[in-house]
Amino acid sequence: MDRATRADDTLEPVSTVVDSPTGRTLQVTVPIVYGDRLAGNYGFAQVDIPWESTEGFVWRTVLTIAGVIAVFALLAWLLLFRTVHRASATLRSQAEENERLALHDALTGLPNRRLLHDRLDRAIVATERSGKSMALMILDVDRFKEVNDTLGHDRGDALLKEVGRRLSEVVRDADTVARLGGDEFAVLAPDVGGQLDAERFASRVHSAFDEPFQVG
């Protein structure tokens, strides 16, 4: 109690580090004046605070800061990963779409001349190895210019789409229906038994035009 009283009779808080079996404790003694201080109307309140050494405090602070930095770094990495993943997926999808557009006709969605040439080369190689036959048919729409001139290009485009659809319905899954440009189409059959089978196949393709086309 005497340590709380200065020589000039000024009361101030006093802190003391005390060792105990349970560890170090910081004892803080605070003077409380409840009347005339000169008459001795004051007392003291003591508060015990668990003491932590400077080294322990520094380590705890460092660990706390490191933990916060690690959490923010993880969140930043997750955000970056998500952004990169989305960008990669977008670029991959765009690349696939560009490749599809490069190999397919924009109007009908059928393989274009480039893709037909690629599949034709493969069919020729497969034919040479197996000794089997293949067939390639080239066809166009008669008087297609008159359709465009009388009904308009929109009706002409609709007719070309319908031609491609009908051709695709009469061929096999292994065959290729391609649009070469304008009103020209090609049908590639990579595996036929011979000339007779090729003629039958051509007849089936021609039958796709038996029914009239209803365009608009």
Side-chain angles (χ1 to χ4, degrees):
M1 298 300 181
D2 294 340
R3 298 184 60 183
T5 306
R6 298 293 185 180
D8 57 357
D9 203 23
T10 300
L11 299 178
E12 292 182 358
V14 176
S15 59
T16 305
V17 178
V18 179
D19 292 325
S20 65
T22 59
R24 282 187 154 189
T25 303
L26 178 65
Q27 290 184 350
V28 180
T29 304
V30 181
I32 301 176
V33 179
Y34 53 88
D36 186 357
R37 178 170 60 83
L38 297 178
N41 296 327
Y42 59 85
F44 297 91
Q46 180 175 298
V47 179
D48 294 339
I49 304 174
W51 171 260
E52 184 176 21
S53 64
T54 303
E55 181 180 2
F57 174 77
V58 170
W59 274 109
R60 186 168 61 85
T61 303
V62 169
L63 292 177
T64 301
I65 295 175
V68 172
I69 293 176
V71 170
F72 275 100
L74 178 61
L75 292 177
W77 183 85
L78 291 175
L79 180 60
L80 179 62
F81 175 80
R82 182 180 180 183
T83 303
V84 171
H85 179 72
R86 285 185 173 180
S88 177
T90 301
L91 291 176
R92 184 168 56 253
S93 176
Q94 186 63 44
E96 293 175 353
E97 179 64 16
N98 292 339
E99 182 179 2
R100 188 191 69 81
L101 293 176
L103 298 176
H104 291 78
D105 176 56
L107 177 64
T108 63
L110 296 174
N112 58 15
R113 185 185 299 268
R114 177 182 172 185
L115 182 54
L116 175 66
H117 284 180
D118 180 67
R119 293 184 179 179
L120 179 59
D121 291 339
R122 296 182 182 181
I124 292 174
V125 173
T127 298
E128 293 175 348
R129 291 178 179 176
S130 64
K132 296 182 179 180
S133 300
M134 54 165 286
L136 176 65
M137 289 170 280
I138 307 297
L139 60 150
D140 60 14
V141 180
D142 291 344
R143 299 184 315 201
F144 179 71
K145 184 176 183 300
E146 296 181 16
V147 176
N148 279 334
D149 292 342
T150 59
L151 300 180
H153 289 276
D154 291 342
R155 297 286 190 259
D157 290 346
L159 176 60
L160 293 176
K161 292 179 181 179
E162 183 64 15
V163 169
R165 186 188 68 80
R166 289 196 185 186
L167 289 175
S168 299
E169 288 180 349
V170 298
V171 300
R172 303 167 301 181
D173 292 339
D175 301 331
T176 298
V177 176
R179 183 189 177 204
L180 303 181
D183 63 341
E184 293 184 339
F185 292 83
V187 180
L188 171 64
D191 184 9
V192 294
Q195 181 176 345
L196 183 59
D197 286 342
E199 292 176 354
R200 292 172 178 170
F201 185 74
S203 178
R204 187 166 71 250
V205 169
H206 190 269
S207 67
F209 302 92
D210 290 344
E211 295 295 328
F213 287 84
Q214 195 72 27
V215 181

